[in-house]
Amino acid sequence: MRFEFATATRVVFGEGTAATLPELARSFGTHPLVVTGASTTRAASFVTALSAELFAVPGEPTVDLVREGARYAQNAGCDVVVSLGGGSVIDAGKAIAAIATNGGEPLDFLEGVGKGRAIVAPPLSLIAVPTTAGTGSEVTRNAVLGSTEHGVKASMRSPLMLPRVALVDPELTYGLPPAITASTGLDALTQLIEPYVSARANPLVDALCVAGIGRVAGALRGAYRAGADRDARRDMALASLLGGLALANAGLGLVHGFAAPLGGSWKAPHGALCAALLPHGMAANVAALRARAPRHPALERYAAIARLLTGRNEASAEDGIDWVRALCVDLNVPALHTWGITEADLPGVVEKATRASSMQANPLPLTAEELLAVVRAAL
Ligand SMILES: [Zn+2]
């Protein structure tokens, strides 16, 4: 056996820890740039307390927005970045911190579509403060950016882009509306299931995934129904963090392979795409494993996932898929057509998904027909 597991992010977790943010930011610099979402109300008190600059990220980040943010940080002489928001805001902060010191066009650094330029200079120090429980972006080394020109989402990636501190305060998620709780929570679940069955899984990642899947099973319905459920919100914040550590070290799979081109061409939240695809992706992998690789270790892993989700020792891989399907119904997960995706779009989506980096970690390669069936079932 041979594997690597890396993280250089200091994690500070717990209810009320967000109050330590001003002091924490001052330990990294004197003039912070606070990157936040469309609503800047929550960030306002931090901006005042820190005499910081404010940069708002209204939607999922693009190369244009990152270019603008990096220029703003440079012109204002910022020396530390605080990302306060969901996955989009944290990813934007990572990319802004990297471009502010490396210069150049964000597009040139994007995997697959860019020039393959590498991050060489250490980015500005980044403190990531998630306000959703889903992406785990506070502990990953990539930032997903959209390029409207290429109709795809792709990553800027470097170990140097890991946030210096992940400040995870579950209280920041109490006010999330049910639909966002559902989509981000199902993204967290996907990011625990895909690394666990990944071709690159390893024992450290396994332990994180097992701990996280059980927590989502016990908490996501509760967090959806009662936003201020303290235990449910804490478990979801932890599950999201565990998923981030897992995916950064073992990769993902076909659900994220589809989320990349779909999110690049349609205005749909990442979590909602993953949620719509998850049960169908699991079903396709289990069916292909049974048909072509019945002794593949991923099959037993799908059964272990089913036991964690259902709490039943005799649960089969298929029972786990049924459990996720029922969860998606209970949480009112919208089908892909909601976002304007049509049957005619699917062959092109499959072609792009096949080349996505996440697809390479899927437990076994699926045929174009099998992939088409997954995205059609989610339509
Ligand atoms: Zn995801």
Side-chain angles (χ1 to χ4, degrees), residues 212-284:
I213 292 168
R215 282 193 159 82
V216 175
L220 183 49
R221 277 192 177 85
Y224 178 77
R225 289 197 197 112
D229 183 329
R230 190 178 167 89
D231 293 341
R233 289 297 194 187
R234 179 193 304 142
D235 276 351
M236 288 309 301
L238 254 179
S240 171
L241 179 65
L242 293 165
L245 289 168
L247 80 89
N249 285 284
L252 290 159
L254 77 98
V255 170
H256 279 82
F258 275 119
L262 289 173
S265 298
W266 286 273
K267 271 203 168 327
H270 169 77
L273 295 172
C274 290
L277 287 156
L278 179 61
H280 309 292
M282 291 171 77

Side-chain angles (χ1 to χ4, degrees), residues 186 221 224 323-333:
L186 280 159
R221 277 192 177 85
Y224 178 77
W323 191 95
V324 173
R325 226 185 281 269
L327 178 68
C328 290
V329 172
D330 287 356
L331 269 49
N332 295 302
V333 169

Side-chain angles (χ1 to χ4, degrees), residues 22-51:
E23 191 189 336
L24 193 59
R26 265 183 235 114
S27 72
F28 286 98
T30 54
H31 194 37
L33 176 74
V34 176
V35 179
T36 195
S39 162
T40 56
T41 329
R42 178 149 40 199
S45 64
F46 294 114
V47 170
T48 313
L50 293 163
S51 323

Side-chain angles (χ1 to χ4, degrees), residues 28-245:
F28 286 98
T30 54
H31 194 37
L33 176 74
V34 176
V35 179
T36 195
S39 162
T40 56
T41 329
R42 178 149 40 199
S45 64
F46 294 114
V47 170
T48 313
L50 293 163
S51 323
E53 305 291 333
L54 182 70
F55 186 76
V57 177
E60 300 205 344
T62 61
V63 288
D64 297 329
L65 182 114
V66 167
R67 188 190 311 112
E68 190 192 326
R71 201 170 293 151
Y72 184 46
Q74 287 167 335
N75 292 343
C78 294
D79 52 5
V80 52
V81 177
V82 173
S83 272
L84 177 74
S88 295
V89 168
I90 295 177
D91 278 8
K94 282 180 191 169
I96 288 169
I99 297 296
T101 57
N102 283 268
E105 265 302 303
L107 184 66
D108 293 347
F109 295 86
L110 284 189
E111 280 177 354
V113 291
K115 291 180 184 160
R117 215 183 134 185
I119 300 293
V120 184
L124 297 177
S125 295
L126 175 69
I127 301 172
V129 191
T131 59
T132 63
T135 66
S137 177
E138 65 274 15
V139 287
T140 66
R141 68 195 73 148
N142 65 312
V144 181
L145 305 184
S147 163
T148 16
E149 190 188 327
H150 292 81
V152 75
K153 281 187 176 175
S155 279
M156 266 178 78
R157 193 185 307 269
S158 164
L160 297 172
M161 287 171 65
L162 274 169
R164 296 288 294 274
V165 184
L167 184 60
V168 185
D169 184 342
E171 287 181 0
L172 298 180
T173 67
Y174 289 5
L176 281 181
I180 298 179
T181 300
S183 59
T184 52
L186 280 159
D187 185 26
L189 181 60
T190 309
Q191 295 179 171
L192 289 157
I193 290 177
E194 293 201 308
Y196 189 55
V197 298
S198 152
R200 292 168 46 207
N202 71 56
L204 285 182
V205 167
D206 293 351
L208 301 175
C209 294
V210 168
I213 292 168
R215 282 193 159 82
V216 175
L220 183 49
R221 277 192 177 85
Y224 178 77
R225 289 197 197 112
D229 183 329
R230 190 178 167 89
D231 293 341
R233 289 297 194 187
R234 179 193 304 142
D235 276 351
M236 288 309 301
L238 254 179
S240 171
L241 179 65
L242 293 165
L245 289 168

